[in-house]
Amino acid sequence: MQSTLQFGRFNYPWRGQGVRARVMGILNVTPDSFSDGGNYQSLEFALSHAEQMIEAGVDIIDVGGESTRPGSPPVSLEDELQRVMPVLYALRDLGPAISVDTYKPQVMREAIIAGVDMINDINGFRAPGALDAVRDSDCALCIMHMQSDPQHMQLAPAYTDVVAEVIAFLRERAEALLAAGIDPRRLCIDPGFGFGKTVEHNYALLKATARLIDELNLPLLAGLSRKSMVGAVTGKPVEQRMAGSVGGALAAVAQGALIVRVHDVAETVDALKVWHAAH
Ligand code: 9MG
């Protein structure tokens, strides 16, 4: 049986013949990701980073205007629109698929008008108006699990059975999207590594990648690049976590993950080429 994820202008087979894991490069357009010289400088910086990722073979570029690191404060709707919209319009026709990382329905609406291929919502489309915002489009929808919110999520993450609880959450959200009339071929799930989880929770979920895909019958996106779960086993600070992150991406792909969200595009693309050549 062949299954395909509808991804805006693209279609990605995720089960059956012709499956190839896709590399999603991270493009943060937050003031801490460039020296804040105003809108023009941030657009120039974003474009040059995107061009490097394209050169390295990226499949999807994920544009985010609000930091989701533990403890990060929220940004206003106006600031987020001002940061991401010029970048989405500038990237739209450069080749790769474009994703926007947002939980705000108004940003989703504007991004869909700009032609994005995926909405990546760390909040699982729970905000009032989110389902209405995405219903009448063909972009893919990434439903991520998060316990609590970015400001508080790492204070005391707690589960009785993390894998079962994450599956139950993702199932409930997928059913809410389907009940809103959304085509199941647009849905993608994500366990949300680091979003309200200890290192042990994260590795229990990484080991359960194949189970999540089987039980929910949906393609999976894994984002563990440079996260503390990589630092915890390598003992490396964030700027030295490239090799560990590539190892984590391969562990997810080996269990059937379709998309890996990464900082180090060139290294991940090469690792996946070799991995696929051997399978
Ligand atoms: C925005 N963002 C940061 N980490 C992420 C992850 O693991 N998955 C997804 N979908 N988005 C993420």
Side-chain angles (χ1 to χ4, degrees), residues 62 68 101 120 122 142 144 190 192-193 195 221 223 227 261:
D62 188 39
T68 53
D101 149 25
N120 173 24
I122 62 161
C142 182
M144 201 195 78
D190 183 340
F193 296 116
F195 285 83
L221 185 156
K227 288 187 179 172
R261 184 178 181 275

Side-chain angles (χ1 to χ4, degrees), residues 225-245:
S225 180
R226 299 187 189 171
K227 288 187 179 172
S228 57
M229 65 186 285
V230 175
V233 299
T234 58
K236 298 280 173 65
V238 68
E239 65 280 5
Q240 292 172 30
R241 293 182 188 161
M242 184 269 285
S245 301

